[in-house]
Amino acid sequence: MKVLVIGSGGREHALVWKLSKSESVTKLFWAPGNGGAQNYADCVEISGENIPAIKEFCSSSKIDFVVVGPEAPLNLGIFDELNKAGIKVFGPSKSAAQLECSKVFTKLFCQKHRIPTAHCWIFEESDKALDFLKSKEANYPLVLKADGLAAGKGVIISEDEKQAAEAVKIIMVQKEFGGAGDRIVIEEFLRGEEASVMALCDGEKSLLLPTARDYKRALDGDKGLNTGGMGAMSPSPLFSDDKKSNPMLDEIKAKIIDRTVSAMAESGFHFRGILYAGLMITEKGPKLLEFNVRFGDPETQVVLPRIEDDLLELLLSASEGNLAKKEIRQKEEKCVAVVAASKGYPSQYQKGFEISGLEQAEKTGAIIFHAGTKKKDNKIVTNGGRVLNIAALGKTYLEARNKCYEALKLINFEGMIFRSDIAQFN
Ligand code: AMP
Ligand code: GLY
């Protein structure tokens, strides 16, 4: 089978790596890919958002199956366009992708189908939102969210009315996130511990993936700015025994994942793909913060190395509405990944520095997933904020993390930064 993976980050490198182990994959392409492709896939210089060009490539290269990494092409309807042309796609349709692409859609959906989530108010006009902020109902802190996709930046937590009014202006008046801010969701602030759970869905059924925890803040001790993720580990210590029945996971699957998949099917939007639930585990149980309709990054980089099953088979059967397996088989081992980033990330950073030591690092048994890299004059150079994910399996978290940090010592590029406390328990 000829397979095309869409996207250019560490998540997509992990997908390409795992798919390359499948016997049924005869040829792998990756659009646009990154500098880590060399041993697995042929890179194709097309952005996943250029759907006509992707469609043309699929037809001319006789691609059998397309696996979509990021949410943007899904929001643009890549599934629907390729499907019309008879090309199989892993990822939800544009209508089903609303679960990530419209917070208003998801909040109304949760209310209708009794899916536990924060209480909320929705506004289409900034004046009405500002009036609400002054009302008795407004108990601070409140969380203000732009309706649409905002590259992870459209959520603002406000301690008082002044901050909240500023957030309304940023989102709805200044339109910092463009059309994503045409509507606003104002949410009750939930307290508890955050967790995320990913499930493979076939439109009617779901299977939970191994659990994972990511590290969102830039600096050790969970300090500094929010980032796309500076590291991850699987399983999540919150569900440490995720192979056996875990009551919290069972509740999340029943009340959030399965209820969503069934209600989407009843509404005519079969959800096929990865449903990623960002959750707050509150005193009253797990509540949904947000859905993503794709694999998490960097969670995927620690989840896929722990999956025993053939990934192509899993993804294909989900996309065909035909998940036959009862569970996804998981390795006992833990997996840890540490992100090597460019100095300055997540703010300003420079690119184009040569990366050394990659081969030596791989010889230690670590798995190097490239993120922001590219090949230039036969060298691998930095090409983004998050540059590499250094992943390793181990019998314990400690063994896995030690392997990551040993491998990391062999890698270098100008301005390399990383957190030193990934998977460290004190
Ligand atoms: P979201 O993109 O909706 O997941 O929001 C991004 C982050 O904002 C989450 O990971 C939480 O840390 C925080 N957040 C979102 N909604 C809430 C809420 N209702 N209560 C508390 N924190 C929240
Ligand atoms: N790691 C969070 C995300 O993929 O959205």
Side-chain angles (χ1 to χ4, degrees):
M1 215 172 202
K2 284 186 175 174
V3 180
L4 169 68
V5 173
I6 290 183
S8 62
R11 163 183 55 204
E12 287 78 19
H13 190 178
L15 285 165
V16 164
W17 169 83
K18 182 72 177 156
L19 286 167
S20 74
K21 298 181 185 299
S22 169
E23 279 177 16
S24 326
V25 174
T26 51
K27 180 91 194 159
L28 260 173
F29 294 96
W30 187 7
N34 67 34
Q38 44 203 353
N39 299 330
Y40 314 105
D42 289 355
C43 284
V44 188
E45 281 284 318
I46 308 173
S47 155
E49 290 167 48
N50 186 351
I51 297 174
I54 294 279
K55 194 160 136 184
E56 204 177 296
F57 174 77
C58 288
S59 303
S60 62
S61 301
K62 301 201 166 40
I63 299 295
D64 299 296
F65 190 44
V66 178
V67 178
V68 185
E71 64 276 14
L74 294 167
N75 187 34
L76 291 171
I78 193 165
F79 170 90
D80 311 69
E81 287 304 311
L82 297 187
N83 209 247
K84 265 191 263 169
I87 302 158
K88 280 188 189 155
V89 181
F90 179 78
S93 64
K94 187 173 162 72
S95 313
Q98 286 182 98
L99 285 175
E100 173 165 358
C101 305
S102 169
K103 295 205 188 274
V104 170
F105 173 88
T106 302
K107 294 305 287 193
L108 295 175
F109 180 86
C110 288
Q111 282 170 6
K112 186 167 172 202
H113 301 285
R114 295 180 302 106
I115 293 158
T117 185
H119 190 68
C120 80
W121 299 263
I122 295 167
F123 298 97
E124 296 189 359
E125 288 161 40
S126 58
D127 287 352
K128 297 224 166 100
L130 291 169
D131 286 346
F132 167 79
L133 298 178
K134 295 192 195 101
S135 72
K136 270 199 224 129
E137 274 184 289
N139 282 323
Y140 293 91
L142 285 171
V143 187
L144 289 89
K145 302 183 174 184
D147 173 41
L149 293 182
K153 294 185 182 133
V155 174
I156 304 174
I157 297 174
S158 304
E159 298 296 336
D160 53 33
E161 192 206 321
K162 189 166 165 253
Q163 282 182 8
E166 191 53 35
V168 169
K169 281 193 196 118
I170 291 171
I171 293 172
M172 298 192 92
V173 182
Q174 294 161 4
K175 294 267 176 190
E176 201 130 309
F177 315 111
D182 287 349
R183 293 187 291 180
I184 196 167
V185 173
I186 303 185
E187 253 182 35
E188 157 203 16
F189 181 82
L190 297 176
R191 289 168 211 278
E193 198 157 353
E194 278 190 58
S196 33
V197 170
M198 290 191 275
L200 178 67
C201 307
D202 75 349
E204 297 197 341
K205 298 182 293 300
S206 77
L207 292 177
L208 293 188
L209 263 54
T211 62
R213 182 213 150 160
D214 70 342
Y215 289 77
K216 288 203 174 97
R217 298 293 198 95
L219 306 175
D220 281 9
D222 285 331
K223 300 209 168 65
L225 295 174
N226 249 331
T227 71
M230 293 298 286
M233 62 180 155
S234 175
S236 157
L238 211 58
F239 314 110
S240 58
D241 206 5
D242 67 355
K243 283 174 68 85
K244 304 211 179 72
S245 171
N246 175 310
M248 179 68 77
L249 269 184
D250 292 346
E251 185 178 348
I252 292 166
K253 180 163 169 16
K255 291 194 182 159
I256 297 181
I257 305 278
D258 288 349
R259 219 175 260 180
T260 298
V261 174
S262 306
M264 286 292 279
E266 279 161 26
S267 316
F269 306 140
H270 286 80
F271 188 91
R272 299 196 174 115
I274 296 292
L275 189 59
Y276 170 125
L279 306 158
M280 188 71 85
I281 312 297
T282 70
E283 276 179 355
K284 293 187 185 154
K287 294 196 179 186
L288 181 76
L289 292 177
E290 63 157 353
F291 276 131
N292 294 317
V293 296
R294 42 141 184 100
F295 283 100
D297 187 344
E299 291 91 331
T300 305
Q301 292 87 306
V302 289
V303 162
L304 295 185
R306 293 191 59 235
I307 293 184
E308 300 264 21
D309 297 298
D310 180 310
L311 185 65
L312 181 75
E313 236 172 69
L314 285 174
L315 303 188
L316 249 187
S317 56
S319 73
E320 288 167 348
N322 188 23
L323 261 185
K325 287 197 184 328
K326 291 261 182 306
E327 60 170 16
I328 295 178
R329 286 185 300 133
Q330 306 182 16
K331 291 187 183 155
E332 293 283 352
E333 290 166 291
K334 317 283 187 211
C335 190
V336 173
V338 179
V339 170
S342 302
K343 187 171 153 219
Y345 174 78
S347 306
Q348 300 287 349
Y349 54 83
Q350 291 183 311
K351 304 195 263 193
F353 299 117
E354 186 179 348
I355 306 172
S356 65
L358 290 168
E359 277 181 28
Q360 293 90 312
E362 272 184 329
K363 283 190 194 135
T364 66
I367 317 165
I368 315 291
F369 295 125
H370 292 224
T373 75
K374 70 172 181 184
K375 208 168 174 187
K376 191 178 169 204
D377 305 329
N378 262 332
K379 291 178 183 147
I380 303 291
V381 300
T382 65
N383 191 37
R386 287 188 296 170
V387 177
L388 300 165
N389 303 259
I390 291 87
L393 288 159
K395 283 202 192 74
T396 60
Y397 291 114
L398 181 66
E399 188 183 306
R401 85 181 288 275
N402 284 345
K403 280 195 202 165
C404 294
Y405 284 108
E406 283 305 312
L408 194 48
K409 277 189 199 154
L410 301 168
I411 296 174
N412 197 25
F413 56 84
E414 198 174 318
M416 180 170 93
I417 54 164
F418 56 88
R419 271 182 67 159
S420 66
D421 65 346
I422 305 298
Q424 177 175 289
F425 300 93
N426 288 318

